[in-house]
Amino acid sequence: MLAGSVEVWDLGMNARLEKKIAVVTGAGRGIGKELATLIASEGAKVIVNDLDPETVTKTVTEIKQLGLQCSGFPGDVTKQNFAQDLADFTRDQFGDVHIIVNNAGYVWNDRIHHVSDEQWDAMHDIHLKAPFQILRAFYPLIAEQVSEERKSGRPQSRKIINISSISATRGAAGQSPYSAAKAGLFGLTKSLAKEWGHMNVTVNCVAFGLVDTRLTKTANSQTDTIDLDGRKMNVGFTTEQKDSIVKSIPLGYSASPKMAAGGAFILSLPEADYITGQCFEIAGGIIY
């Protein structure tokens, strides 16, 4: 493996996704980066999106160094016209799309009596409104391609994978805006599975548990922050908080980004062509 690259399972360079076009938002690091790499390892051409252009460039370079096909599209999924710009870029560059992963997101936590309207709206904008806008923007391209495939007698399956959290399935103190927005993805997923089923598009959702990313690292002070559009956000858990969560996981440990990505990756494969409208927890059997 190249130094500094993401971990990849030895899949033998299979080609179950050959000639497929995939879009993964929030793919500059962590779970999104692993998922983009896994999809590319099966032969797909992957468009990597992330907020930071430098992060996108670095990730695209690393994935290409693995001999995989990848392009970058930096940008903020919550900005006006982003969704249409992403759809237009995909059409112009590749003329089709087969897999869309709505993964971009972050947490902005507080008890509800401290939550501002800005905070509530920010969580819904990135976790629910942005996926809605992206899927709406891609509909014309998908519909056109489905029509052409039916005329030629070569229909294909397409996949939508929405990324949620067990904060939505089980609730989480201090995360009411995040939990509510992530829960909204369940309704969007199930409704769109019915709406797009006639086009042979499967729509599923995965809810991750404790995954070792920069948002969940152990931080025993309030000095660990990330910069989101000029806003400094505290991230991480205390050692006590993280240990408490791990104790509720029957497997006994938190997931690596690669493990989490693997569960979502399964839904992109042809073997999952008859799975739709489902919301899966990928959380090690967590019981709290």
Side-chain angles (χ1 to χ4, degrees), residues 54-205:
E54 291 184 5
T55 300
V56 171
T57 298
K58 183 175 183 291
T59 297
V60 169
T61 298
E62 291 178 4
I63 292 176
K64 284 184 174 180
Q65 286 176 339
L66 295 170
L68 308 176
Q69 302 178 87
C70 186
S71 299
F73 190 85
D76 183 344
V77 298
T78 68
K79 296 301 184 183
Q80 187 175 9
N81 299 325
F82 171 88
Q84 191 59 56
D85 290 344
L86 177 60
D88 290 343
F89 173 83
T90 305
R91 179 192 290 273
D92 293 343
Q93 294 294 313
F94 304 107
D96 205 345
V97 68
H98 304 91
I99 301 164
I100 300 174
V101 183
N102 285 304
N103 174 70
Y106 65 96
V107 294
W108 188 359
N109 297 335
D110 216 332
R111 301 285 174 164
I112 195 166
H113 52 284
H114 293 305
V115 172
S116 66
D117 288 352
E118 178 194 10
Q119 188 172 349
W120 179 270
D121 290 344
M123 289 293 90
H124 282 70
D125 283 349
I126 192 162
H127 293 297
L128 187 54
K129 186 176 180 180
F132 150 69
Q133 290 179 325
I134 288 169
L135 296 172
R136 180 180 63 182
F138 271 100
Y139 171 78
L141 176 58
I142 293 172
E144 289 169 18
Q145 293 303 311
V146 168
S147 178
E148 291 301 316
E149 289 162 7
R150 285 175 174 168
K151 290 177 184 177
S152 64
R154 295 191 296 270
Q156 297 188 55
S157 177
R158 287 175 170 78
K159 311 295 176 66
I160 309 299
I161 304 170
N162 295 319
I163 305 300
S164 185
S165 167
I166 61 168
S167 293
T169 59
R170 297 163 183 264
Q175 287 195 326
S176 56
Y178 175 80
S179 299
K182 285 297 195 184
L185 277 177
F186 300 157
L188 178 63
T189 294
K190 290 181 176 294
S191 294
L192 201 60
K194 292 178 169 63
E195 194 169 318
W196 284 9
H198 71 96
M199 296 191 298
N200 205 23
V201 177
T202 67
V203 188
N204 293 291
C205 187

Side-chain angles (χ1 to χ4, degrees), residues 239-261:
T239 299
E240 293 75 16
Q241 288 172 327
K242 198 161 186 177
D243 287 348
S244 176
I245 297 172
V246 170
K247 286 178 182 177
S248 70
I249 302 172
L251 289 180
Y253 55 89
S254 55
S256 69
K258 184 175 71 174
M259 287 178 177

